[in-house]
Amino acid sequence: TTEGRVAFDNYRYSWEGGEQLGLFVESQTPTHNALATVEVRDGQGYCTSVVERADVGDTLYGYTPYSANNSDAQAVRLVVPSEQNVARAGEFPQNAMPMVAEPYIITAENDQGLLFQPLGGILCFNIYATSKYQSERVVSVRYATSKPLSGECDYDIIQAEPKQIAVVDYSVE
């Protein structure tokens, strides 16, 4: 689990810095699961990583949150944890929102970066208190459903247009 967080502000995700990404490069000398850490400059997320080789025309793939256990870009293990702790309103643990980058073909200009897409949605709770309960603090919110809201999946990040993921090994309380 990484300590980085992704902010959710005005229905938009933004990097806060410290998030860890996994990178794969399809090239003559492929890179398998290189670690990159996000740094925010001028409101944009940047990262550097050490890869085996990356040339013009090679394809770069990415995912977050990073796991050292992922060695195959066609079976990246992603997890939505069943228990999520939030320190402040408006942010959530980065490991609670797996994201996959659209495949990026490296160009000489490097005019574009990786565009990450979330693999799920967010349930946003607005919890208000009357004056009688204003000193109270919400300790937990539990969502009861017969459909899984958490679990693990093996995801093929090489596929050009991800359409659907399957959650496995889940339980419903």
Side-chain angles (χ1 to χ4, degrees):
T1 304
T2 68
E3 292 303 315
R5 296 184 180 274
V6 177
F8 185 65
D9 186 31
N10 291 326
Y11 303 102
R12 184 169 181 244
Y13 304 99
S14 63
W15 302 111
E16 290 201 335
E19 296 86 359
Q20 293 183 328
L21 315 175
L23 302 175
F24 290 82
V25 181
E26 194 174 83
S27 69
Q28 289 181 345
T29 309
T31 296
H32 300 286
N33 203 29
L35 172 64
T37 302
V38 175
E39 174 188 337
V40 176
R41 289 180 266 153
D42 299 324
Q44 296 291 317
Y46 294 88
C47 65
T48 57
S49 183
V50 177
V51 299
E52 295 295 326
R53 181 177 180 152
D55 295 317
V56 171
D58 291 344
T59 305
L60 178 64
Y61 304 95
Y63 74 94
T64 185
Y66 174 80
S67 171
N69 297 326
N70 287 322
S71 60
D72 181 358
Q74 292 182 297
V76 171
R77 174 60 49 116
L78 299 171
V79 178
V80 175
S82 60
E83 185 172 313
Q84 301 171 19
N85 297 306
V86 178
R88 295 186 315 238
E91 70 177 28
F92 54 92
Q94 185 218 4
N95 70 340
M97 180 54 71
M99 292 193 277
V100 173
E102 294 180 6
Y104 171 63
I105 297 174
I106 299 170
T107 63
E109 296 83 32
N110 286 327
D111 58 353
Q112 178 184 339
L114 290 173
L115 176 61
F116 281 83
Q117 299 291 337
L119 296 181
I122 293 177
L123 291 174
C124 183
F125 295 95
N126 292 316
I127 301 172
Y128 301 94
T130 62
S131 59
K132 178 180 176 182
Y133 297 103
Q134 283 191 336
S135 63
E136 301 287 326
R137 186 174 151 231
V138 175
V139 175
S140 70
V141 174
R142 185 171 283 250
Y143 187 76
T145 180
S146 61
K147 302 288 184 188
L149 295 175
S150 63
E152 300 179 345
C153 69
D154 289 330
Y155 196 85
D156 181 355
I157 65 173
I158 290 177
Q159 60 185 340
E161 293 185 41
K163 297 288 185 195
Q164 181 176 351
I165 62 172
V167 178
V168 295
D169 298 332
Y170 67 88
S171 64
V172 178
E173 293 182 14

